[in-house]
Structure formats: C-alpha cells, structure tokens
Amino acid sequence: MEVRIQSIHFDATEKLQDFINKKVNKLEKYFEDIKKVEVSLKVVKPETAANKEAGMKITVPGGELYVNKVCDTFEEAIDQCAEALEKQLVKYKEKLRSK
C-alpha cells in the first residue's frame, strides 16, 4: 500500500506524518487490498477555530473512496476521516461479497 501525504502551504511535522501512517495502516483491517492512500492537509483561511482540513482518498480495486473533514486540529480531522473510511470500506467489502 502506497501512502502519499500532501501538505498544502505548510510542512507537516514528522509526528503528524507518523500519526497519519498509523491511522492509514489500521484501515487494512477493514479491507486488505488497498492500493493507494492520498492524504491532503491544508489550513483553511480565514483563521478560525476549526480551520484544519484533511482529505483522504483511498484507491481500491474497482473504485475510489473519498472523505473530507474540517476540525480544530489535523489529528482530530484525520481521526474523523479514518472513522468515516472504515465505514465506507466495510460497506464496499460487503457490496463486493454480495456480487
């Protein structure tokens, strides 16, 4: 599984990248055949409380799953993205099985 982290207009810290990799690797529990994960991080202007935007796109055989969240911190946004993708992956897997 290939993981690409793209931080727009800032540099993601090593700690944040490790956190993202850990969360992304947990997604393999729900669907084993994930080809690629693209994570995009950006700070939304103007400066407000919830201005950290995280988007995750997962490439799986036969399609792509995408989720986007805006929160106070990148960690919180990544957490919410991962949770939403877990649900999507479970549904996608069930759909594949029922075919």
Side-chain angles (χ1 to χ4, degrees):
M1 174 174 73
E2 178 192 338
V3 179
R4 234 178 77 214
I5 301 170
Q6 179 183 18
S7 46
I8 301 161
H9 302 306
F10 77 99
D11 290 327
T13 63
E14 195 73 36
K15 190 176 162 191
L16 181 59
Q17 290 179 13
D18 291 344
F19 179 80
I20 292 168
N21 283 319
K22 200 168 80 179
K23 284 289 179 183
V24 166
N25 288 329
K26 284 184 181 175
L27 292 173
E28 285 191 307
K29 281 195 300 197
Y30 301 93
F31 195 88
E32 300 78 35
D33 202 15
I34 297 172
K35 300 288 182 210
K36 187 164 82 174
V37 180
E38 291 180 38
V39 181
S40 62
L41 306 168
K42 80 179 182 196
V43 179
V44 182
K45 301 283 191 247
E47 291 293 321
T48 54
N51 69 337
K52 308 290 190 293
E53 183 179 326
M56 285 178 135
K57 183 167 83 171
I58 292 185
T59 306
V60 290
E64 288 183 341
L65 306 172
Y66 181 77
V67 70
N68 191 42
K69 299 285 180 191
V70 180
C71 296
D72 289 340
T73 65
F74 283 120
E75 287 82 2
E76 191 183 346
I78 293 296
D79 263 342
Q80 289 185 12
C81 284
E83 281 177 34
L85 282 169
E86 284 170 15
K87 291 175 187 160
Q88 286 186 30
L89 285 168
V90 168
K91 274 186 183 173
Y92 185 74
K93 196 174 185 177
E94 286 171 4
K95 202 160 132 186
L96 285 179
R97 275 202 202 125
S98 65
K99 284 184 179 178

